[in-house]
Every structure is written in structure tokens, then in C-alpha cells.
Amino acid sequence: PPRRLWLRLLKWSLFAAGLIFVGRALVDEFARMSWAELHFDPWLMAAAALCVAASKAVTFQPYGLLLARFCRRPPWRTMAAAVWVSQIGKYIPGKVGAVAGMALLLRRYDVPARKAVATMIIVDGLSVAVGMLVAIPVTLMEPVHSRLPTAWIWSPVGLAAVLVCVHPRVFKAGSSMILRKLGYEPLVTL
């Protein structure tokens, strides 16, 4: 049928556009690098590659676990593809590819768009909180302390801010506000 052909053509066009935008972003980043200052250690490169592979293997798990709370969890291959599409979608201007990609891929498995988007917002919010918790101790280390002697003052402030942000009432209110701005109804259970 012609409709299926057009849908397939649209999907491949979006895929090609995504690759073009990602490729352009990578070329721009590589152009900014000073290659003379880079020194590669094969063992460290292999360890880094293993770490990246391991992290990619479990990246989709938080999304799947959260979706299981809200609805039927899609198969792991679908979750992996949806998360991968949402991560490369950030290179597409307007950043809509991240949200639209996940919502469209999960719609096949009867996951409502608002639940897919809400899951993405929750995981991204928790990732930022975890990133801040990991980064806060850096303010106590010597390179930062020698350049910014009062940086340690911000450690307890940052820790308190993270704890307030991940409190269920605050996190639910923030997630609901973002969902409303995106045109979705807030989740009742969170």
C-alpha cells in the first residue's frame, strides 16, 4: 500500500537526517580539537571502550524499570532502540528528535506518549541529580581548591539543592510542570 511506502520513506528520511546532524556535530567537535596535544595509551583506550560498551548495555534499564511502573514494559531491544534514538535526537535542531523518537518507537507497544515522555523527563532529572552528587566532591579536591578557595562552601549548598530537587513532592511538581508545557497531562502516580 502507498501509505506504508510513504511511512517507510519518512522513517528512512528521518534516520538519514539524524545521521547528517550527528555527523555534522562530530565534525565540528573534531575540528575544534588540538590533535597535537592528544596522546593515546592503548590500554586506557581499551578500558575506556569497555566502560562505554558496559554503560550503553545498561543505559536503557532505568527507562524500562520506570515504564514498568506506569504500564507494560516493552521488550529490551525496543527499549534499547528507543533510548538510542532519544540520545542521538539531541543533535537535531530544536531537540525534538529526542522526545519524538522515544514516543514514536514506544507507541508500537501501546505505551502512551505522555508516559514515554514522562519517563524520559524523570530519568533525565535523576541523571542530573546523580551527576551533581558525583560532581560535588570535586569542589573539595586540590586543583579546584587552589583556584577557588571558597568553592567548598558550595558543596553543602549543592547537596541540599539536590536533596530538595529529588524529594517526591518537588520532583513530581517539576515533572508535571514540564509535561504541561509539552502539552501532556501530568502523571497522577509518580
Side-chain angles (χ1 to χ4, degrees):
R3 184 169 184 246
R4 279 186 108 171
L5 180 66
W6 281 110
L7 280 175
R8 183 170 282 182
L9 185 63
L10 177 65
K11 287 177 188 177
W12 282 105
S13 299
L14 289 173
F15 178 71
L19 287 180
I20 289 169
F21 284 117
V22 170
R24 188 179 301 165
L26 288 173
V27 167
D28 291 345
E29 288 299 318
F30 283 136
R32 283 189 231 150
M33 290 177 69
S34 174
W35 292 96
E37 295 175 9
L38 286 179
H39 304 288
F40 295 104
D41 180 341
W43 294 108
L44 290 176
M45 291 294 290
L50 281 173
C51 289
V52 168
S55 71
K56 294 300 177 193
V58 296
T59 299
F60 63 91
Q61 289 299 335
Y63 295 92
L65 293 171
L66 271 171
L67 273 178
R69 169 75 170 88
F70 299 132
C71 57
R72 185 176 66 87
R73 181 181 177 172
W76 70 269
R77 288 177 60 187
T78 303
M79 284 307 310
V83 170
W84 181 76
V85 165
S86 72
Q87 288 177 347
I88 67 163
K90 66 184 177 185
Y91 295 104
I92 297 173
K95 312 289 189 230
V96 295
V99 177
M102 180 173 270
L104 287 173
L105 278 172
L106 294 180
R107 194 170 73 182
R108 279 186 175 168
Y109 291 91
D110 298 326
V111 176
R114 76 180 176 115
K115 291 184 180 179
V117 172
T119 299
M120 202 171 145
I121 291 168
I122 292 168
V123 171
D124 286 350
L126 291 175
S127 298
V128 169
V130 168
M132 285 184 66
L133 286 175
V134 170
I136 286 170
V138 172
T139 61
L140 305 174
M141 293 182 180
E142 183 48 42
V144 175
H145 183 67
S146 62
R147 292 187 179 209
L148 301 168
T150 58
W152 64 272
I153 295 172
W154 294 104
S155 294
V157 173
L159 181 61
V162 170
L163 293 176
V164 167
C165 288
V166 296
H167 187 277
R169 286 186 181 177
V170 176
F171 200 79
K172 181 178 179 182
S175 300
S176 295
M177 180 189 70
I178 293 170
L179 283 170
R180 276 195 296 275
K181 290 225 180 253
L182 289 172
Y184 295 106
E185 298 222 358
L187 289 172
V188 178
T189 59
L190 187 61

